[in-house]
Amino acid sequence: KHDTFELGSALQGKGIGARILGAALPGYDALGVKRIELLANLDVGGYAWAKQVYGFLDEEAVGDMADRLDRAIGDHPVGGDWSDADVRAMRALLKRMRSGDPGKAPTPLELAMVGWTAGAKMWPGKEFMLANQWEGVKKL
């Protein structure tokens, strides 16, 4: 279980964390580690761990995120500060989260990338994931 991994703001967004964690994976494999669990926290963690392709830990984690997404969509109605297409995309992901089939739930990365365009510094999915924590897992 990864309990703490923190980089100072001057080091964030440069791929350092991804390289450090990537270098650790062969060691985990040698030790027989089968999965890494973590709490993707507020600030940058909710987005950063999604970008590292961690999935939701379990159905409860999906349900918790679905509740948060539902509230976020309510805060950003069609015609609001998110584009109509972004709101529709978020609603479609929410529908998959609420389907009752864990295999249909979107990944944290899918949520994080809603509204992304080349060169953008911020977009709706990133904004949403930065504002939310979630329990994650990476199976090795």
Side-chain angles (χ1 to χ4, degrees):
K1 182 165 177 98
H2 283 183
D3 287 325
T4 303
F5 186 87
E6 185 174 338
L7 291 174
S9 60
L11 300 174
Q12 294 173 10
K14 301 179 186 316
I16 294 169
R19 289 195 304 271
I20 290 169
L21 293 169
L25 293 179
Y28 289 166
D29 187 48
L31 292 169
V33 174
K34 301 292 182 211
R35 60 194 274 146
I36 303 167
E37 294 182 10
L38 54 79
L39 177 64
N41 66 351
L42 302 172
D43 192 17
V44 299
Y47 173 72
W49 294 113
K51 289 288 288 181
Q52 294 302 309
V53 197
Y54 278 70
F56 292 112
L57 178 64
D58 54 25
E59 289 180 50
E60 184 177 349
V62 172
D64 289 345
M65 188 59 89
D67 292 342
R68 292 186 191 111
L69 181 57
D70 198 10
R71 286 190 297 275
I73 291 168
D75 292 341
H76 299 277
V78 171
D81 57 340
W82 288 355
S83 76
D84 292 354
D86 294 332
V87 172
R88 284 192 301 276
M90 292 288 200
R91 285 182 179 154
L93 294 177
L94 178 62
K95 184 177 180 180
R96 287 175 48 201
M97 293 172 98
R98 299 264 196 232
S99 73
D101 181 352
K104 289 186 179 181
T107 66
L109 182 59
E110 285 179 271
L111 288 166
M113 298 311 291
V114 170
W116 176 83
T117 56
K121 300 285 186 211
M122 186 59 69
W123 55 91
K126 181 177 181 179
E127 174 191 329
F128 174 73
M129 294 304 282
L130 286 170
N132 287 284
Q133 70 178 23
W134 48 276
E135 292 180 285
V137 64
K138 179 177 246 180
K139 295 178 182 172
L140 306 177

